[in-house]
Amino acid sequence: MSYIEDVLNQAETLKARKHALILSIESSCDETAIAVVRDGREVLADEIASQVNIHALYGGVVPEIASRMHVESLSELYRRALKNAGISKNDIDAIAVTFGPGLVGALLTGVSFAKALAYALDLPLIAVNHIEGHVSANYIAHPELEPPFVCLVASGGHSHIVNVTGYGQYELLGRTVDDAAGEAFDKVARVLDIPYPGGPLLDKLAESGNSDKYHFPNVHTPGKYDFSFSGLKTAVINQAHSIRQSGGTIDAADWAASFRKAVVDTLLDKALTAVKDTGAKRFALAGGVASNMLLRREAQRRSNEMGIKLYFPPPRLCTDNAAMIGSAGFYRLLLGETADMSLNAEPSIKLIEE
Ligand code: KG4
Ligand code: ZN
């Protein structure tokens, strides 16, 4: 039997059984990660090699360095994942991998590794969208969570409001028309001399600041559920320069707090309008920015007021990781969706075709 006939049979069996032990791989940006996930919900191993310290030297992710470091880390992470999960390669039922969106060279390292592994071990291959991965981190953190729910996905590369109507089924309600929320955090952090990635440190600094001290413009966005962070980011950066040029100083904590509040208010105003309009009873946060302390507090307060249930993953599952890819991969498998050896990296793939 050929590889493809064999793995299609295996995938059918797994789908019917509704059980699968998935080895998952993530390499879309600057974290190399491999995890082992059972039935989309239970994490047996979750290994990450972060490259943040190296990219911090350059003030942002350098794609060529990212690809090289993924190549160096993948084999070791694979060994560690099997060891820490307490399994052998023969126990794996399928291989899942992020195929986009992300940096093309970085994605290709993971996709090539996954294809080689799937072929060598004679296992089904599952292609996972990175944004779907972020949404699915909530399935790991909250075993009781099931669709439908509305999810705000805010990371360094994406800001989306998604209606999750079923497993692997999405309706895109809104998105950023320019910068992502995390990108805005990172750029504004630079003005305060906070090193890359500035979001988490800016968040910490903001905790001791007064968010009413500075006023930044409200930025108009075209769609009811769309975001725009570029205008806000530019206004904040220009305001800092002009204060400094006229001999003034800015209070970093107050500045950080005022900016953070502007971003969080925008994210939640839009996302919760979508929750209200769709009549959703559940609301989830996902992506790196979902670690933001004010976003979590405000989302909780406003969800309580609205009588809806809020979900968010712990910080480790908000930023890039492979466990979320293993969860999303499991539900793709249950939908009967497998990839073959022609799988390629898709740097600009959308979650849903618009
Ligand atoms: O999801 P992620 O790890 O990577 C992408 O898919 O982009 O998100 C990383 C982004 C960075 O921009 C980082 O600054 C931001 O998430 N981030 C935060 C916080 N933690 C991470 N932004 C604001 N507050 C945080 N606590
Ligand atoms: Zn991400």
Side-chain angles (χ1 to χ4, degrees), residues 30-330:
D30 58 350
E31 324 272 2
T32 329
I34 299 194
V36 177
V37 180
R38 180 180 283 137
D39 301 345
R41 299 275 178 165
E42 189 193 346
V43 180
L44 274 61
D46 181 16
E47 308 302 317
I48 299 189
S50 177
Q51 309 173 0
V52 158
N53 291 342
I54 289 161
H55 297 294
L57 299 174
Y58 302 91
V61 178
V62 183
E64 180 64 21
I65 295 178
S67 310
R68 282 166 189 262
M69 295 198 67
H70 288 315
V71 170
E72 284 171 20
S73 306
L74 280 163
S75 303
E76 173 56 22
L77 288 177
Y78 170 65
R79 272 191 289 274
R80 250 169 49 196
L82 291 184
K83 182 163 176 271
N84 291 342
I87 61 165
S88 92
K89 58 184 191 305
N90 302 325
D91 298 318
I92 306 169
D93 292 318
I95 307 287
V97 64
T98 305
F99 76 114
L103 302 168
V104 65
L107 288 164
L108 270 174
T109 66
V111 168
S112 308
F113 192 84
K115 280 160 70 172
L117 212 53
Y119 195 74
L121 299 178
D122 204 24
L123 292 173
L125 178 66
I126 309 161
V128 174
N129 182 301
H130 182 78
I131 300 168
E132 176 169 34
H134 276 303
V135 173
S136 306
N138 280 290
Y139 295 138
I140 294 172
H142 305 286
E144 77 286 8
L145 175 63
E146 289 187 20
F149 59 94
V150 167
C151 188
L152 168 67
V153 189
S155 72
H158 322 279
S159 300
H160 285 1
I161 300 172
V162 180
N163 192 10
V164 185
T165 51
Y167 289 110
Q169 285 167 353
Y170 307 96
E171 194 189 337
L172 183 64
L173 300 176
R175 51 180 290 198
T176 180
V177 295
D178 40 57
D179 293 354
E183 197 179 344
F185 269 112
D186 295 341
K187 298 258 167 69
V188 167
R190 260 198 227 177
V191 179
L192 300 175
D193 291 324
I194 296 173
Y196 172 86
L201 290 173
L202 187 146
D203 186 22
K204 218 176 260 172
L205 183 64
E207 287 290 287
S208 59
N210 171 8
S211 60
D212 295 327
K213 173 89 168 276
Y214 297 102
H215 294 281
F216 304 125
N218 274 333
V219 179
H220 174 75
T221 47
K224 193 176 181 189
Y225 312 124
D226 287 336
F227 307 113
S228 166
F229 293 110
S230 171
L232 173 65
K233 176 196 74 183
T234 309
V236 171
I237 293 171
N238 288 346
Q239 207 171 314
H241 288 325
S242 62
I243 292 174
R244 282 170 178 157
Q245 266 161 12
S246 56
T249 53
I250 56 174
D251 183 297
D254 293 345
W255 193 265
S258 304
F259 171 71
R260 180 178 71 162
K261 182 157 190 314
V263 174
V264 166
D265 282 350
T266 306
L267 288 171
L268 289 178
D269 285 351
K270 298 280 181 160
L272 290 172
T273 302
V275 168
K276 218 192 280 145
D277 291 351
T278 54
K281 295 280 169 278
R282 291 177 278 238
F283 174 46
L285 308 177
V289 178
S291 292
N292 188 272
M293 294 182 267
L294 184 68
L295 179 65
R296 288 167 175 249
R297 284 199 299 269
E298 276 298 293
Q300 192 64 68
R301 187 184 65 75
R302 291 169 66 162
S303 297
N304 291 349
E305 264 176 26
M306 290 169 68
I308 56 166
K309 186 138 173 51
L310 175 71
Y311 300 85
F312 50 73
R316 184 181 163 85
L317 290 172
C318 287
T319 45
D320 290 349
N321 66 86
M324 67 187 196
I325 304 303
S327 175
F330 175 71

